[in-house]
Amino acid sequence: MSEKFDVIVVGAGPAGTSCAYTCAKNGLKVLQIERGEYPGSKNVMGGVLYRQQMEEIIPEFWKEAPLERPVVEQRFWMMDKESVVTFGYKGLEWGVEPYNNFTVLRAPFDQWFAKKGIEQGVLLITETVVLECIVENGKVIGVRTDRPDGEVYADVVVLADGVNSLLGKQLGYHNEFRPDEVALTVMEVINLPKEKINDRFNLEDNQGCTIELFGDSTKGNLGTAFIYTNKESINIGVGTTLSSMIKAKLKPYDLLDYLKTHSMIKPFLEGGESAEYLAHLIPEGGFHSVPKVAGNGVLLVGDAAQLVNAIHREGSNMAMASGKMAAETIVEAKSRNDFSESSLNLYREKLYDSFIIKDLEKYKDAAHTFENHPQYFKDYVPMMNRAASKFFTVDGTPKREKQKQIMRSITGERGTLKVLQDMYRAWKAVK
Ligand code: FAD
């Protein structure tokens, strides 16, 4: 039999590396397997990394990690064809220690994070695909890889293999995802001199800005688009659920081209040079799609366990937190020398007791509500824009009369009862 480890972690994204790092730090013998040429080579993210969950793993990581900019401003844009209603928050307190969140480029960040794991004793092997889990008497006892003599064994295998999690599917922990459970997102990294970024987004050198775009950015379909500022580049991306794409016969790259040439977006990108073009799925099924996360000798973390809060675009933090919880569970299981499902179910308890499942539960019906009622993005966003234009146009109409006209035009278009029903439904979905 080949060498045996305490833990094998499949995948070197934020979930896998958090788990591998924490296990190794606690003295466990850890093998981490990544199919990419290096950690981050296969990974895609809009680029907002949350400070809190990362800091719980590596305190004051911002002093050495390859980060882009601390985010000091979050803007939200409700877009129509030639106008936009905006709101947001800018706070200079986010620009100083301990910060709130950061923009990052995943390739350098993932490599740095994995190196921290190696320093703790993790054995990382790259360019190696895990083909399947080895199961004996109903217990996962190792993995089979695509290397010659590629079987390795461990007390626990952690599946941190991302959104498709073919390994979780092979074990029967989840089915093929439905098109309404995943979003297909494309993004581009566009190089721009830092002075241009600072001018266009009203920033200083060590300040970043995120803009979440709704409405016409996805041609009125359920989904979002984003622009995030790096030091000397901008990430721009757009995505909708696969089901919306199929229904509306959209092609993701057409959607990105449409966004980049939108009259409200184009000025940000002028003179920029495309550096990278990426596409990836995001698990957006939420609470209802979370699979079985613990079995005999096996745990599922991060995207493999569908842990993404699409409404708040939180995924990397859930990946890190779940990876850490899995590691803590394994350390406890090791002290009992019990890696059975009932022992490892402690991970499930930790997960369900944390912000992760609580947040996913809060929004458990949101995606379906907005997908089944397209009026929110298709009708209300343009209505908001028309209302704002009317309200802010100074034309001698008394303000009270203006308010009445706006209300009349909204209720006139959809009907008072329908507007009330829509408002109640939306409130219920996000309350
Ligand atoms: P991943 O990062 O996908 O890592 C999985 C790893 O496993 C990969 O390295 C892969 O190569 C490896 N792997 C897979 N199968 C195998 C195998 N069989 N053998 C060996 N290795 C394997 N989250 C945020 O917090 N903020 C954002 O701004 C944000 N924006 C996003 C924008 C886009 C366009 C996308 C697609 C996602 C975004 N997310 C964001 C979500 C976030 O990227 C994910 O939630 C997070 O990366 C999940 O981490 P993970 O480690 O679970 O999976």
Side-chain angles (χ1 to χ4, degrees), residues 10-11 13-15 33-35 42-48 50 106 128-130 160-162 185 228 280 282 302-303 308 313 315-316 319:
V10 184
I33 305 175
E34 166 57 45
R35 68 180 171 172
K42 299 269 183 195
N43 297 341
V44 180
M45 187 162 108
V48 179
Y50 300 89
R106 279 288 296 272
T128 305
V129 180
V130 171
D161 52 340
T185 310
Y228 301 151
H280 210 272
I282 307 181
D303 277 13
V308 167
R313 60 112 164 82
S316 62

PDB file of all heavy atoms in Angstrom, residues 10-11 13-15 33-35 42-48 50 106 128-130 160-162 185 228 280 282 302-303 308 313 315-316 319, ligand 1:
ATOM      1  N   VAL A  10      -8.466  17.549  -1.594  1.00  0.00           N
ATOM      2  CA  VAL A  10      -8.506  17.639  -3.057  1.00  0.00           C
ATOM      3  C   VAL A  10      -8.864  19.071  -3.441  1.00  0.00           C
ATOM      4  O   VAL A  10      -9.968  19.547  -3.158  1.00  0.00           O
ATOM      5  CB  VAL A  10      -9.558  16.674  -3.648  1.00  0.00           C
ATOM      6  CG1 VAL A  10      -9.501  16.715  -5.183  1.00  0.00           C
ATOM      7  CG2 VAL A  10      -9.355  15.267  -3.126  1.00  0.00           C
ATOM      8  N   GLY A  11      -7.928  19.776  -4.077  1.00  0.00           N
ATOM      9  CA  GLY A  11      -8.175  21.153  -4.530  1.00  0.00           C
ATOM     10  C   GLY A  11      -7.378  22.152  -3.710  1.00  0.00           C
ATOM     11  O   GLY A  11      -7.254  22.019  -2.483  1.00  0.00           O
ATOM     12  N   GLY A  13      -7.938  25.639  -3.877  1.00  0.00           N
ATOM     13  CA  GLY A  13      -8.615  26.940  -3.828  1.00  0.00           C
ATOM     14  C   GLY A  13      -8.673  27.379  -2.368  1.00  0.00           C
ATOM     15  O   GLY A  13      -8.047  26.749  -1.497  1.00  0.00           O
ATOM     16  N   PRO A  14      -9.421  28.438  -2.052  1.00  0.00           N
ATOM     17  CA  PRO A  14      -9.468  28.917  -0.667  1.00  0.00           C
ATOM     18  C   PRO A  14      -9.992  27.891   0.337  1.00  0.00           C
ATOM     19  O   PRO A  14      -9.501  27.827   1.472  1.00  0.00           O
ATOM     20  CB  PRO A  14     -10.403  30.135  -0.729  1.00  0.00           C
ATOM     21  CG  PRO A  14     -10.946  30.194  -2.104  1.00  0.00           C
ATOM     22  CD  PRO A  14     -10.136  29.309  -2.984  1.00  0.00           C
ATOM     23  N   ALA A  15     -10.946  27.048  -0.085  1.00  0.00           N
ATOM     24  CA  ALA A  15     -11.492  26.057   0.853  1.00  0.00           C
ATOM     25  C   ALA A  15     -10.440  25.002   1.169  1.00  0.00           C
ATOM     26  O   ALA A  15     -10.173  24.692   2.340  1.00  0.00           O
ATOM     27  CB  ALA A  15     -12.733  25.401   0.257  1.00  0.00           C
ATOM     28  N   ILE A  33      -3.865  17.890  -3.108  1.00  0.00           N
ATOM     29  CA  ILE A  33      -3.691  17.556  -4.535  1.00  0.00           C
ATOM     30  C   ILE A  33      -4.445  18.580  -5.388  1.00  0.00           C
ATOM     31  O   ILE A  33      -5.631  18.839  -5.167  1.00  0.00           O
ATOM     32  CB  ILE A  33      -4.243  16.142  -4.842  1.00  0.00           C
ATOM     33  CG1 ILE A  33      -3.596  15.105  -3.908  1.00  0.00           C
ATOM     34  CG2 ILE A  33      -4.002  15.776  -6.305  1.00  0.00           C
ATOM     35  CD1 ILE A  33      -4.160  13.696  -4.044  1.00  0.00           C
ATOM     36  N   GLU A  34      -3.752  19.161  -6.365  1.00  0.00           N
ATOM     37  CA  GLU A  34      -4.351  20.185  -7.220  1.00  0.00           C
ATOM     38  C   GLU A  34      -4.117  19.801  -8.685  1.00  0.00           C
ATOM     39  O   GLU A  34      -3.000  19.470  -9.067  1.00  0.00           O
ATOM     40  CB  GLU A  34      -3.725  21.557  -6.900  1.00  0.00           C
ATOM     41  CG  GLU A  34      -3.992  22.662  -7.905  1.00  0.00           C
ATOM     42  CD  GLU A  34      -5.473  22.947  -8.146  1.00  0.00           C
ATOM     43  OE1 GLU A  34      -6.251  23.038  -7.179  1.00  0.00           O
ATOM     44  OE2 GLU A  34      -5.852  23.067  -9.338  1.00  0.00           O
ATOM     45  N   ARG A  35      -5.183  19.886  -9.479  1.00  0.00           N
ATOM     46  CA  ARG A  35      -5.019  19.472 -10.885  1.00  0.00           C
ATOM     47  C   ARG A  35      -4.312  20.533 -11.721  1.00  0.00           C
ATOM     48  O   ARG A  35      -3.711  20.245 -12.745  1.00  0.00           O
ATOM     49  CB  ARG A  35      -6.375  19.129 -11.492  1.00  0.00           C
ATOM     50  CG  ARG A  35      -7.249  20.316 -11.642  1.00  0.00           C
ATOM     51  CD  ARG A  35      -8.598  20.062 -12.226  1.00  0.00           C
ATOM     52  NE  ARG A  35      -9.314  21.325 -12.060  1.00  0.00           N
ATOM     53  CZ  ARG A  35     -10.478  21.598 -12.560  1.00  0.00           C
ATOM     54  NH1 ARG A  35     -11.116  20.701 -13.255  1.00  0.00           N
ATOM     55  NH2 ARG A  35     -11.028  22.765 -12.370  1.00  0.00           N
ATOM     56  N   LYS A  42      -6.407  27.539 -12.211  1.00  0.00           N
ATOM     57  CA  LYS A  42      -7.722  27.159 -12.745  1.00  0.00           C
ATOM     58  C   LYS A  42      -8.834  27.994 -12.101  1.00  0.00           C
ATOM     59  O   LYS A  42     -10.010  27.733 -12.329  1.00  0.00           O
ATOM     60  CB  LYS A  42      -8.018  25.692 -12.420  1.00  0.00           C
ATOM     61  CG  LYS A  42      -7.047  24.706 -12.988  1.00  0.00           C
ATOM     62  CD  LYS A  42      -7.514  24.252 -14.340  1.00  0.00           C
ATOM     63  CE  LYS A  42      -6.589  23.189 -14.905  1.00  0.00           C
ATOM     64  NZ  LYS A  42      -6.813  22.992 -16.325  1.00  0.00           N
ATOM     65  N   ASN A  43      -8.461  28.951 -11.254  1.00  0.00           N
ATOM     66  CA  ASN A  43      -9.495  29.573 -10.426  1.00  0.00           C
ATOM     67  C   ASN A  43      -9.900  30.955 -10.909  1.00  0.00           C
ATOM     68  O   ASN A  43      -9.081  31.728 -11.381  1.00  0.00           O
ATOM     69  CB  ASN A  43      -9.038  29.632  -8.974  1.00  0.00           C
ATOM     70  CG  ASN A  43      -8.833  28.226  -8.425  1.00  0.00           C
ATOM     71  OD1 ASN A  43      -9.354  27.275  -9.002  1.00  0.00           O
ATOM     72  ND2 ASN A  43      -8.088  28.093  -7.361  1.00  0.00           N
ATOM     73  N   VAL A  44     -11.186  31.248 -10.735  1.00  0.00           N
ATOM     74  CA  VAL A  44     -11.754  32.508 -11.207  1.00  0.00           C
ATOM     75  C   VAL A  44     -12.546  33.136 -10.076  1.00  0.00           C
ATOM     76  O   VAL A  44     -13.281  32.455  -9.381  1.00  0.00           O
ATOM     77  CB  VAL A  44     -12.717  32.259 -12.402  1.00  0.00           C
ATOM     78  CG1 VAL A  44     -13.302  33.572 -12.896  1.00  0.00           C
ATOM     79  CG2 VAL A  44     -12.006  31.540 -13.535  1.00  0.00           C
ATOM     80  N   MET A  45     -12.379  34.431  -9.911  1.00  0.00           N
ATOM     81  CA  MET A  45     -13.170  35.140  -8.896  1.00  0.00           C
ATOM     82  C   MET A  45     -13.258  36.606  -9.306  1.00  0.00           C
ATOM     83  O   MET A  45     -12.294  37.147  -9.840  1.00  0.00           O
ATOM     84  CB  MET A  45     -12.490  34.995  -7.543  1.00  0.00           C
ATOM     85  CG  MET A  45     -13.273  35.539  -6.391  1.00  0.00           C
ATOM     86  SD  MET A  45     -12.650  34.875  -4.833  1.00  0.00           S
ATOM     87  CE  MET A  45     -11.858  36.318  -4.157  1.00  0.00           C
ATOM     88  N   GLY A  46     -14.414  37.200  -9.033  1.00  0.00           N
ATOM     89  CA  GLY A  46     -14.565  38.621  -9.342  1.00  0.00           C
ATOM     90  C   GLY A  46     -13.470  39.413  -8.688  1.00  0.00           C
ATOM     91  O   GLY A  46     -12.862  40.319  -9.269  1.00  0.00           O
ATOM     92  N   GLY A  47     -13.191  38.988  -7.445  1.00  0.00           N
ATOM     93  CA  GLY A  47     -12.012  39.497  -6.822  1.00  0.00           C
ATOM     94  C   GLY A  47     -12.163  40.139  -5.469  1.00  0.00           C
ATOM     95  O   GLY A  47     -11.240  40.798  -5.011  1.00  0.00           O
ATOM     96  N   VAL A  48     -13.305  39.971  -4.773  1.00  0.00           N
ATOM     97  CA  VAL A  48     -13.371  40.562  -3.432  1.00  0.00           C
ATOM     98  C   VAL A  48     -13.090  39.482  -2.384  1.00  0.00           C
ATOM     99  O   VAL A  48     -13.811  38.489  -2.283  1.00  0.00           O
ATOM    100  CB  VAL A  48     -14.740  41.225  -3.160  1.00  0.00           C
ATOM    101  CG1 VAL A  48     -14.775  41.794  -1.748  1.00  0.00           C
ATOM    102  CG2 VAL A  48     -14.992  42.317  -4.179  1.00  0.00           C
ATOM    103  N   TYR A  50     -12.639  38.675   1.616  1.00  0.00           N
ATOM    104  CA  TYR A  50     -13.109  39.246   2.883  1.00  0.00           C
ATOM    105  C   TYR A  50     -12.064  39.056   3.973  1.00  0.00           C
ATOM    106  O   TYR A  50     -11.512  37.969   4.133  1.00  0.00           O
ATOM    107  CB  TYR A  50     -14.445  38.598   3.267  1.00  0.00           C
ATOM    108  CG  TYR A  50     -15.467  38.867   2.195  1.00  0.00           C
ATOM    109  CD1 TYR A  50     -15.612  38.016   1.110  1.00  0.00           C
ATOM    110  CD2 TYR A  50     -16.223  40.029   2.208  1.00  0.00           C
ATOM    111  CE1 TYR A  50     -16.507  38.291   0.089  1.00  0.00           C
ATOM    112  CE2 TYR A  50     -17.120  40.315   1.193  1.00  0.00           C
ATOM    113  CZ  TYR A  50     -17.257  39.438   0.142  1.00  0.00           C
ATOM    114  OH  TYR A  50     -18.128  39.727  -0.872  1.00  0.00           O
ATOM    115  N   ARG A 106      -6.700  36.069  -8.276  1.00  0.00           N
ATOM    116  CA  ARG A 106      -6.633  34.754  -7.642  1.00  0.00           C
ATOM    117  C   ARG A 106      -5.321  34.013  -7.864  1.00  0.00           C
ATOM    118  O   ARG A 106      -4.844  33.308  -6.964  1.00  0.00           O
ATOM    119  CB  ARG A 106      -7.817  33.895  -8.099  1.00  0.00           C
ATOM    120  CG  ARG A 106      -9.108  34.182  -7.362  1.00  0.00           C
ATOM    121  CD  ARG A 106      -9.100  33.683  -5.940  1.00  0.00           C
ATOM    122  NE  ARG A 106      -9.000  32.249  -5.858  1.00  0.00           N
ATOM    123  CZ  ARG A 106     -10.028  31.417  -5.869  1.00  0.00           C
ATOM    124  NH1 ARG A 106     -11.250  31.891  -5.927  1.00  0.00           N
ATOM    125  NH2 ARG A 106      -9.854  30.117  -5.802  1.00  0.00           N
ATOM    126  N   THR A 128      -2.022  17.149 -10.945  1.00  0.00           N
ATOM    127  CA  THR A 128      -2.478  15.791 -10.612  1.00  0.00           C
ATOM    128  C   THR A 128      -3.989  15.818 -10.412  1.00  0.00           C
ATOM    129  O   THR A 128      -4.489  16.607  -9.609  1.00  0.00           O
ATOM    130  CB  THR A 128      -1.803  15.304  -9.309  1.00  0.00           C
ATOM    131  OG1 THR A 128      -0.392  15.410  -9.487  1.00  0.00           O
ATOM    132  CG2 THR A 128      -2.183  13.890  -8.963  1.00  0.00           C
ATOM    133  N   VAL A 129      -4.691  14.998 -11.159  1.00  0.00           N
ATOM    134  CA  VAL A 129      -6.158  14.973 -11.051  1.00  0.00           C
ATOM    135  C   VAL A 129      -6.584  13.799 -10.179  1.00  0.00           C
ATOM    136  O   VAL A 129      -6.124  12.670 -10.385  1.00  0.00           O
ATOM    137  CB  VAL A 129      -6.805  14.814 -12.460  1.00  0.00           C
ATOM    138  CG1 VAL A 129      -8.325  14.793 -12.353  1.00  0.00           C
ATOM    139  CG2 VAL A 129      -6.357  15.928 -13.389  1.00  0.00           C
ATOM    140  N   VAL A 130      -7.446  14.087  -9.218  1.00  0.00           N
ATOM    141  CA  VAL A 130      -8.037  12.994  -8.444  1.00  0.00           C
ATOM    142  C   VAL A 130      -9.203  12.452  -9.265  1.00  0.00           C
ATOM    143  O   VAL A 130     -10.133  13.183  -9.610  1.00  0.00           O
ATOM    144  CB  VAL A 130      -8.520  13.487  -7.062  1.00  0.00           C
ATOM    145  CG1 VAL A 130      -9.320  12.403  -6.356  1.00  0.00           C
ATOM    146  CG2 VAL A 130      -7.325  13.906  -6.216  1.00  0.00           C
ATOM    147  N   ALA A 160     -12.503  19.530  -1.769  1.00  0.00           N
ATOM    148  CA  ALA A 160     -12.525  20.991  -1.953  1.00  0.00           C
ATOM    149  C   ALA A 160     -12.325  21.237  -3.441  1.00  0.00           C
ATOM    150  O   ALA A 160     -11.558  22.094  -3.853  1.00  0.00           O
ATOM    151  CB  ALA A 160     -11.412  21.637  -1.132  1.00  0.00           C
ATOM    152  N   ASP A 161     -13.047  20.432  -4.246  1.00  0.00           N
ATOM    153  CA  ASP A 161     -12.782  20.407  -5.690  1.00  0.00           C
ATOM    154  C   ASP A 161     -13.692  21.340  -6.479  1.00  0.00           C
ATOM    155  O   ASP A 161     -13.825  21.208  -7.694  1.00  0.00           O
ATOM    156  CB  ASP A 161     -12.844  18.968  -6.224  1.00  0.00           C
ATOM    157  CG  ASP A 161     -14.129  18.234  -5.853  1.00  0.00           C
ATOM    158  OD1 ASP A 161     -14.794  18.657  -4.892  1.00  0.00           O
ATOM    159  OD2 ASP A 161     -14.467  17.241  -6.514  1.00  0.00           O
ATOM    160  N   GLY A 162     -14.326  22.281  -5.786  1.00  0.00           N
ATOM    161  CA  GLY A 162     -15.029  23.349  -6.494  1.00  0.00           C
ATOM    162  C   GLY A 162     -16.423  22.984  -6.959  1.00  0.00           C
ATOM    163  O   GLY A 162     -16.951  21.925  -6.636  1.00  0.00           O
ATOM    164  N   THR A 185     -20.620  32.693 -15.411  1.00  0.00           N
ATOM    165  CA  THR A 185     -20.090  34.058 -15.368  1.00  0.00           C
ATOM    166  C   THR A 185     -18.837  34.160 -16.218  1.00  0.00           C
ATOM    167  O   THR A 185     -17.991  33.274 -16.187  1.00  0.00           O
ATOM    168  CB  THR A 185     -19.738  34.426 -13.909  1.00  0.00           C
ATOM    169  OG1 THR A 185     -20.860  34.101 -13.104  1.00  0.00           O
ATOM    170  CG2 THR A 185     -19.452  35.899 -13.760  1.00  0.00           C
ATOM    171  N   TYR A 228     -14.551  45.725 -10.518  1.00  0.00           N
ATOM    172  CA  TYR A 228     -13.728  45.880  -9.322  1.00  0.00           C
ATOM    173  C   TYR A 228     -12.378  46.474  -9.733  1.00  0.00           C
ATOM    174  O   TYR A 228     -11.826  46.119 -10.783  1.00  0.00           O
ATOM    175  CB  TYR A 228     -13.488  44.523  -8.636  1.00  0.00           C
ATOM    176  CG  TYR A 228     -14.753  43.789  -8.212  1.00  0.00           C
ATOM    177  CD1 TYR A 228     -14.774  42.406  -8.147  1.00  0.00           C
ATOM    178  CD2 TYR A 228     -15.924  44.479  -7.884  1.00  0.00           C
ATOM    179  CE1 TYR A 228     -15.924  41.718  -7.752  1.00  0.00           C
ATOM    180  CE2 TYR A 228     -17.069  43.798  -7.500  1.00  0.00           C
ATOM    181  CZ  TYR A 228     -17.072  42.420  -7.443  1.00  0.00           C
ATOM    182  OH  TYR A 228     -18.203  41.745  -7.062  1.00  0.00           O
ATOM    183  N   HIS A 280     -16.444  30.825 -15.673  1.00  0.00           N
ATOM    184  CA  HIS A 280     -16.545  29.854 -14.574  1.00  0.00           C
ATOM    185  C   HIS A 280     -17.990  29.772 -14.112  1.00  0.00           C
ATOM    186  O   HIS A 280     -18.747  30.726 -14.279  1.00  0.00           O
ATOM    187  CB  HIS A 280     -15.674  30.324 -13.404  1.00  0.00           C
ATOM    188  CG  HIS A 280     -15.129  29.209 -12.572  1.00  0.00           C
ATOM    189  ND1 HIS A 280     -15.815  28.683 -11.511  1.00  0.00           N
ATOM    190  CD2 HIS A 280     -13.963  28.524 -12.627  1.00  0.00           C
ATOM    191  CE1 HIS A 280     -15.082  27.726 -10.954  1.00  0.00           C
ATOM    192  NE2 HIS A 280     -13.951  27.613 -11.614  1.00  0.00           N
ATOM    193  N   ILE A 282     -20.734  29.487 -10.943  1.00  0.00           N
ATOM    194  CA  ILE A 282     -20.861  29.799  -9.511  1.00  0.00           C
ATOM    195  C   ILE A 282     -22.044  28.984  -8.979  1.00  0.00           C
ATOM    196  O   ILE A 282     -23.121  29.007  -9.588  1.00  0.00           O
ATOM    197  CB  ILE A 282     -21.163  31.298  -9.268  1.00  0.00           C
ATOM    198  CG1 ILE A 282     -20.134  32.175  -9.978  1.00  0.00           C
ATOM    199  CG2 ILE A 282     -21.197  31.619  -7.777  1.00  0.00           C
ATOM    200  CD1 ILE A 282     -20.353  33.676  -9.775  1.00  0.00           C
ATOM    201  N   GLY A 302     -16.516  24.406   0.888  1.00  0.00           N
ATOM    202  CA  GLY A 302     -16.500  25.454  -0.139  1.00  0.00           C
ATOM    203  C   GLY A 302     -17.528  25.228  -1.237  1.00  0.00           C
ATOM    204  O   GLY A 302     -18.639  24.749  -0.993  1.00  0.00           O
ATOM    205  N   ASP A 303     -17.151  25.590  -2.469  1.00  0.00           N
ATOM    206  CA  ASP A 303     -18.074  25.453  -3.605  1.00  0.00           C
ATOM    207  C   ASP A 303     -18.540  24.011  -3.787  1.00  0.00           C
ATOM    208  O   ASP A 303     -19.646  23.769  -4.267  1.00  0.00           O
ATOM    209  CB  ASP A 303     -17.396  25.904  -4.898  1.00  0.00           C
ATOM    210  CG  ASP A 303     -17.451  27.421  -5.099  1.00  0.00           C
ATOM    211  OD1 ASP A 303     -17.779  28.135  -4.137  1.00  0.00           O
ATOM    212  OD2 ASP A 303     -17.163  27.887  -6.221  1.00  0.00           O
ATOM    213  N   VAL A 308     -22.215  29.314  -1.323  1.00  0.00           N
ATOM    214  CA  VAL A 308     -22.059  30.660  -1.890  1.00  0.00           C
ATOM    215  C   VAL A 308     -23.331  31.452  -1.604  1.00  0.00           C
ATOM    216  O   VAL A 308     -24.434  30.959  -1.789  1.00  0.00           O
ATOM    217  CB  VAL A 308     -21.807  30.607  -3.416  1.00  0.00           C
ATOM    218  CG1 VAL A 308     -21.959  31.985  -4.049  1.00  0.00           C
ATOM    219  CG2 VAL A 308     -20.412  30.069  -3.711  1.00  0.00           C
ATOM    220  N   ARG A 313     -22.587  38.272  -2.873  1.00  0.00           N
ATOM    221  CA  ARG A 313     -21.384  37.808  -3.596  1.00  0.00           C
ATOM    222  C   ARG A 313     -20.274  37.328  -2.640  1.00  0.00           C
ATOM    223  O   ARG A 313     -19.109  37.641  -2.726  1.00  0.00           O
ATOM    224  CB  ARG A 313     -20.862  38.815  -4.617  1.00  0.00           C
ATOM    225  CG  ARG A 313     -20.431  40.185  -4.205  1.00  0.00           C
ATOM    226  CD  ARG A 313     -18.955  40.462  -4.336  1.00  0.00           C
ATOM    227  NE  ARG A 313     -18.709  41.886  -4.284  1.00  0.00           N
ATOM    228  CZ  ARG A 313     -18.630  42.587  -3.165  1.00  0.00           C
ATOM    229  NH1 ARG A 313     -18.783  42.000  -1.983  1.00  0.00           N
ATOM    230  NH2 ARG A 313     -18.423  43.891  -3.235  1.00  0.00           N
ATOM    231  N   GLY A 315     -18.319  34.085  -1.403  1.00  0.00           N
ATOM    232  CA  GLY A 315     -18.024  32.692  -1.712  1.00  0.00           C
ATOM    233  C   GLY A 315     -16.681  32.311  -1.111  1.00  0.00           C
ATOM    234  O   GLY A 315     -16.559  31.318  -0.399  1.00  0.00           O
ATOM    235  N   SER A 316     -15.673  33.174  -1.345  1.00  0.00           N
ATOM    236  CA  SER A 316     -14.329  32.837  -0.864  1.00  0.00           C
ATOM    237  C   SER A 316     -14.307  32.771   0.661  1.00  0.00           C
ATOM    238  O   SER A 316     -13.622  31.927   1.245  1.00  0.00           O
ATOM    239  CB  SER A 316     -13.319  33.872  -1.366  1.00  0.00           C
ATOM    240  OG  SER A 316     -13.642  35.155  -0.864  1.00  0.00           O
ATOM    241  N   ALA A 319     -15.871  29.604   1.715  1.00  0.00           N
ATOM    242  CA  ALA A 319     -14.935  28.517   1.413  1.00  0.00           C
ATOM    243  C   ALA A 319     -13.892  28.409   2.529  1.00  0.00           C
ATOM    244  O   ALA A 319     -13.615  27.324   3.049  1.00  0.00           O
ATOM    245  CB  ALA A 319     -14.262  28.782   0.064  1.00  0.00           C
TER     246      ALA A 319
HETATM  247  P1  FAD B   1     -12.257  26.713  -6.136  1.00  0.00           P
HETATM  248  O1  FAD B   1     -11.678  28.044  -5.897  1.00  0.00           O
HETATM  249  O2  FAD B   1     -13.018  26.490  -7.397  1.00  0.00           O
HETATM  250  O3  FAD B   1     -11.064  25.653  -6.058  1.00  0.00           O
HETATM  251  C1  FAD B   1     -11.254  24.302  -6.409  1.00  0.00           C
HETATM  252  C2  FAD B   1      -9.888  23.741  -6.773  1.00  0.00           C
HETATM  253  O4  FAD B   1      -9.986  22.331  -6.935  1.00  0.00           O
HETATM  254  C3  FAD B   1      -9.366  24.283  -8.104  1.00  0.00           C
HETATM  255  O5  FAD B   1      -8.077  24.773  -7.926  1.00  0.00           O
HETATM  256  C4  FAD B   1      -9.415  23.083  -9.038  1.00  0.00           C
HETATM  257  O6  FAD B   1      -8.405  23.119 -10.021  1.00  0.00           O
HETATM  258  C5  FAD B   1      -9.227  21.935  -8.060  1.00  0.00           C
HETATM  259  N1  FAD B   1      -9.801  20.654  -8.525  1.00  0.00           N
HETATM  260  C6  FAD B   1     -11.062  20.442  -8.970  1.00  0.00           C
HETATM  261  N2  FAD B   1     -11.243  19.132  -9.257  1.00  0.00           N
HETATM  262  C7  FAD B   1     -10.072  18.520  -8.967  1.00  0.00           C
HETATM  263  C8  FAD B   1      -9.644  17.153  -9.052  1.00  0.00           C
HETATM  264  N3  FAD B   1     -10.471  16.182  -9.447  1.00  0.00           N
HETATM  265  N4  FAD B   1      -8.373  16.874  -8.709  1.00  0.00           N
HETATM  266  C9  FAD B   1      -7.529  17.863  -8.275  1.00  0.00           C
HETATM  267  N5  FAD B   1      -7.882  19.155  -8.176  1.00  0.00           N
HETATM  268  C10 FAD B   1      -9.147  19.473  -8.508  1.00  0.00           C
HETATM  269  N6  FAD B   1     -16.367  35.007  -4.084  1.00  0.00           N
HETATM  270  C11 FAD B   1     -16.062  36.037  -3.284  1.00  0.00           C
HETATM  271  O7  FAD B   1     -15.888  35.849  -2.078  1.00  0.00           O
HETATM  272  N7  FAD B   1     -15.918  37.307  -3.777  1.00  0.00           N
HETATM  273  C12 FAD B   1     -16.075  37.586  -5.102  1.00  0.00           C
HETATM  274  O8  FAD B   1     -15.899  38.722  -5.532  1.00  0.00           O
HETATM  275  C13 FAD B   1     -16.405  36.510  -5.960  1.00  0.00           C
HETATM  276  N8  FAD B   1     -16.572  36.735  -7.284  1.00  0.00           N
HETATM  277  C14 FAD B   1     -16.712  35.679  -8.124  1.00  0.00           C
HETATM  278  C15 FAD B   1     -16.742  35.919  -9.496  1.00  0.00           C
HETATM  279  C16 FAD B   1     -16.775  34.871 -10.394  1.00  0.00           C
HETATM  280  C17 FAD B   1     -16.766  35.148 -11.861  1.00  0.00           C
HETATM  281  C18 FAD B   1     -16.826  33.531  -9.899  1.00  0.00           C
HETATM  282  C19 FAD B   1     -16.852  32.370 -10.840  1.00  0.00           C
HETATM  283  C20 FAD B   1     -16.860  33.287  -8.523  1.00  0.00           C
HETATM  284  C21 FAD B   1     -16.795  34.353  -7.628  1.00  0.00           C
HETATM  285  N9  FAD B   1     -16.760  34.150  -6.245  1.00  0.00           N
HETATM  286  C22 FAD B   1     -16.528  35.197  -5.416  1.00  0.00           C
HETATM  287  C23 FAD B   1     -16.910  32.806  -5.664  1.00  0.00           C
HETATM  288  C24 FAD B   1     -15.556  32.218  -5.255  1.00  0.00           C
HETATM  289  O9  FAD B   1     -14.647  32.311  -6.329  1.00  0.00           O
HETATM  290  C25 FAD B   1     -15.724  30.766  -4.857  1.00  0.00           C
HETATM  291  O10 FAD B   1     -16.785  30.634  -3.945  1.00  0.00           O
HETATM  292  C26 FAD B   1     -14.452  30.207  -4.228  1.00  0.00           C
HETATM  293  O11 FAD B   1     -13.382  30.268  -5.139  1.00  0.00           O
HETATM  294  C27 FAD B   1     -14.655  28.755  -3.801  1.00  0.00           C
HETATM  295  O12 FAD B   1     -13.443  28.233  -3.351  1.00  0.00           O
HETATM  296  P2  FAD B   1     -13.199  26.657  -3.404  1.00  0.00           P
HETATM  297  O13 FAD B   1     -11.844  26.449  -2.836  1.00  0.00           O
HETATM  298  O14 FAD B   1     -14.345  25.953  -2.813  1.00  0.00           O
HETATM  299  O15 FAD B   1     -13.225  26.276  -4.961  1.00  0.00           O
END
